[in-house]
Amino acid sequence: MSGLRVVPAFRHGRERLYVCREDGSNIAWYDRETGRVNLLGEDSRDEVLHALKPFLTGPVTVGPPPVPTPAELARLTLRPDDDLAPNRPGEALLVALDRDPGPGHRLRPDPRRRALTAEQTVGETLDGLEGAGWHTLHSLPLPGGDRIHHLVIGPGGLYAVHALYARKSRVLVADPMVTLGRREPQPLLRRLRADADRASYALTAEVRPLLALVGPSEVTVTARPRGVRIMTDTELTGLSRLGGVLKPADVEALHGMARDRNTWGRV
């Protein structure tokens, strides 16, 4: 066999190097993170390893692709339109701004853009937890036009995360009210608990609400809110230290269920 090409690609945040024939068909791939070369045919072993030789780092294992788990098989059966995993942080806002950017000159900043900044900031941090065994889904639609900004699933359980732009503002939390600077208080924690309850119903698992404050100058909590965790965007990495709630298989199964759009149509 000759003329093999090595093509890099990214899947679910991981880099893979695909080995392709001249006609573009894949015969193997190398996963850098796991150090494994997956062969689709044992007869091409020597040629594949020769093509990958400049890219291999450290010891590698070579063999057929691992048998997919039930959760992976469920994901493979999802129609692309029903798979919410590709959603970007702030997906709904990005679509809305693309459809209606608003006037070019405004006396005040478009609040949608501040909200988008908050979701993107929080989403980027949560995506960084993947290496610690966590999965994050963004902008999950709920019936009635509501949505969950981020759903985090990992060893420490499930969290429905609401991102709130609070840059250089003082934040006062007096359950259920949240006050930003001199603005009118809003019963935000009541909404967060309701969204988490809907997610719990959809997934038949406990989902806890989490308020993520982006860039506040000061946070004052008058009393510990009932069932709601409050963190700043810089504290979210602390979730990676939580554990003892879900096993890896449970995390994968819940992630597979949560990424299916049809799961959320019944709440």
Side-chain angles (χ1 to χ4, degrees):
M1 186 181 301
S2 61
L4 296 182
R5 295 184 299 118
V6 177
V7 180
F10 287 86
R11 289 176 59 85
H12 309 303
R14 293 183 176 181
E15 182 183 12
R16 285 183 176 179
L17 296 176
Y18 286 89
V19 182
C20 309
R21 296 189 179 96
E22 292 180 334
D23 62 3
S25 59
N26 297 324
I27 60 172
W29 70 87
Y30 169 46
D31 189 324
R32 288 185 184 274
E33 185 169 326
T34 61
R36 180 178 177 85
V37 177
N38 297 277
L39 297 172
L40 298 182
E42 185 63 31
D43 58 339
S44 61
R45 179 188 182 101
D46 293 341
E47 291 83 355
V48 165
L49 291 178
H50 179 74
L52 285 172
K53 185 176 180 179
F55 306 96
L56 300 179
T57 56
V60 297
T61 56
V62 183
V67 176
T69 65
E72 290 170 333
L73 287 173
R75 289 199 294 267
L76 291 173
T77 63
L78 272 182
R79 295 171 55 247
D81 289 346
D82 290 334
D83 190 357
L84 299 173
N87 279 9
R88 300 161 292 178
E91 182 75 32
L93 289 171
L94 287 166
V95 172
L97 286 166
D98 184 59
R99 291 175 177 172
D100 178 20
H105 300 283
R106 301 174 61 102
L107 295 177
R108 295 181 179 179
D110 189 333
R112 296 177 300 172
R113 297 195 179 277
R114 290 186 172 184
L116 176 60
T117 297
E119 291 190 43
Q120 289 177 329
T121 300
V122 170
E124 182 178 352
T125 300
L126 295 176
D127 283 340
L129 301 178
E130 184 172 348
W134 293 74
H135 294 297
T136 303
L137 297 166
H138 307 289
S139 204
L140 301 179
L142 299 175
D146 294 330
R147 62 190 178 89
I148 294 174
H149 291 179
H150 315 278
L151 180 72
V152 195
I153 308 169
L158 297 90
Y159 290 91
V161 181
H162 184 93
L164 182 63
Y165 186 91
R167 182 169 174 78
K168 297 182 179 179
S169 296
R170 293 182 178 181
V171 180
L172 173 63
V173 180
D175 194 3
M177 311 303 286
V178 176
T179 307
L180 285 181
R182 298 180 180 179
R183 301 180 193 176
E184 289 293 319
Q186 300 292 329
L188 184 57
L189 300 191
R190 188 176 299 151
R191 173 188 167 185
L192 267 64
R193 281 191 281 260
D195 288 347
D197 286 345
R198 295 173 77 180
S200 297
Y201 179 81
L203 300 171
T204 62
E206 182 185 10
V207 178
R208 286 170 282 185
L210 190 158
L211 176 61
L213 301 168
V214 177
S217 62
E218 181 181 328
V219 180
T220 302
V221 181
T222 58
R224 185 174 180 178
R226 177 176 56 85
V228 180
R229 182 184 289 264
I230 298 175
M231 307 177 78
T232 65
D233 57 297
T234 58
E235 296 171 337
L236 288 172
T237 55
L239 291 175
S240 64
R241 296 190 291 272
L242 302 179
V245 177
L246 294 176
K247 298 178 181 178
D250 297 327
V251 171
E252 294 300 324
L254 286 165
H255 179 241
M257 184 186 304
R259 67 189 292 175
D260 185 351
R261 184 183 300 275
N262 297 299
T263 297
W264 304 101
R266 57 175 183 261
V267 295

